Amino acid sequence: MTRALILGGTSDASLLAAEVARAGIDAVYSYGGRTRAPADQPLPTRIGGFGGVSGLADYIRRENITHVIDATHPFAAEMSRNAILACAETGSPLIALERSPWTKAPGDSWIEVADVNAAVAAVPVAPANVFLAIGRQHIAPFASKPQHAYTLRFVDPPEAPLPFAADVIVSRGPFTLDGELDMLRSRDIAWIVARNSGGDGARAKIDAARMLGLPVIMISRPRLPERLRVESMAEIMQWLGHSTRLGA
């Protein structure tokens, strides 16, 4: 019998959970616990970390998990690496549902960098209005350039003091092009720092930057060990041995 573990937290993972539930597959949806009010799922749900590779391996054994689906954010590298190692330890099949990264379009002004520290170095020295679209876990290095007026956007209000003064927007995507244009214009944003997450839900800011001629410091995805990777839910359902009813 199939019993799947979906490592989620993304809009793609939620869509997959709905399809898995419709197909009647026994599955558990796991949130990492970073969001205080996660969206409800149509599957049994757990929230919080596993306790590293050994904790995830113990969970897989204890819960009789037969298939693991990594549908986490493309930048949730630690969880993805833990899944690779835990599945190797337990002999569990693993597949990743990973959206394609964004690619430059005509008119884009990107400075592509390897990581957050490189993004900090790429931000100019002269004071500017900077939109950090990178999540709250990665903003601390920008405290080394406090001369900028930063705008941040989080799903939840920050619980602890920020490492620098900033204008905080609390909002949950997906975001529209018109909304992003209004946000960038109203705050007179001159630079955007973004992670190359891919997908449609967060792309509007990239399209808006192109329309406004704004430079984007684009952080590349972290490198991960080789693993089975697909981009569609139909492929996940086939891997699970079920047909998909997407679009029905």
Side-chain angles (χ1 to χ4, degrees), residues 137-192:
Q137 293 81 33
H138 307 285
I139 64 172
F142 289 88
S144 65
K145 288 189 172 178
Q147 68 269 33
H148 299 304
Y150 292 106
T151 294
L152 313 176
R153 184 163 61 196
F154 302 147
V155 173
D156 300 310
E159 295 180 317
L162 299 174
F164 47 77
D167 177 16
V168 177
I169 302 170
V170 178
S171 183
R172 185 190 297 267
F175 302 101
T176 66
L177 177 58
D178 287 344
E180 296 294 68
L181 286 168
D182 180 67
M183 185 273 292
L184 295 173
R185 286 172 174 148
S186 65
R187 289 168 171 78
D188 197 22
I189 298 298
W191 288 81
I192 297 173

Side-chain angles (χ1 to χ4, degrees), residues 124-141:
V125 174
N129 295 336
V130 180
F131 176 35
L132 297 183
I134 58 175
R136 67 180 182 270
Q137 293 81 33
H138 307 285
I139 64 172

Side-chain angles (χ1 to χ4, degrees), residues 35-104:
T35 302
R36 294 205 293 273
D40 291 336
Q41 300 296 335
L43 296 171
T45 301
R46 66 173 303 282
I47 299 175
F50 291 94
V53 175
S54 61
L56 178 54
D58 289 344
Y59 182 88
I60 290 171
R61 295 188 186 101
R62 184 173 66 253
E63 297 296 323
N64 298 313
I65 299 298
T66 63
H67 296 71
V68 179
I69 303 162
D70 181 359
T72 59
H73 192 278
F75 282 78
E78 182 178 6
M79 185 69 254
S80 293
R81 292 189 184 100
N82 288 350
I84 292 168
L85 294 173
C87 286
E89 180 180 326
T90 59
S92 306
L94 169 68
I95 194 169
L97 176 60
E98 184 179 299
R99 66 190 78 153
S100 296
W102 297 316
T103 57
K104 287 181 70 173

Side-chain angles (χ1 to χ4, degrees), residues 107 109 190 208-215:
S109 177
R210 183 189 315 115
M211 294 177 64
L212 297 175
L214 299 179

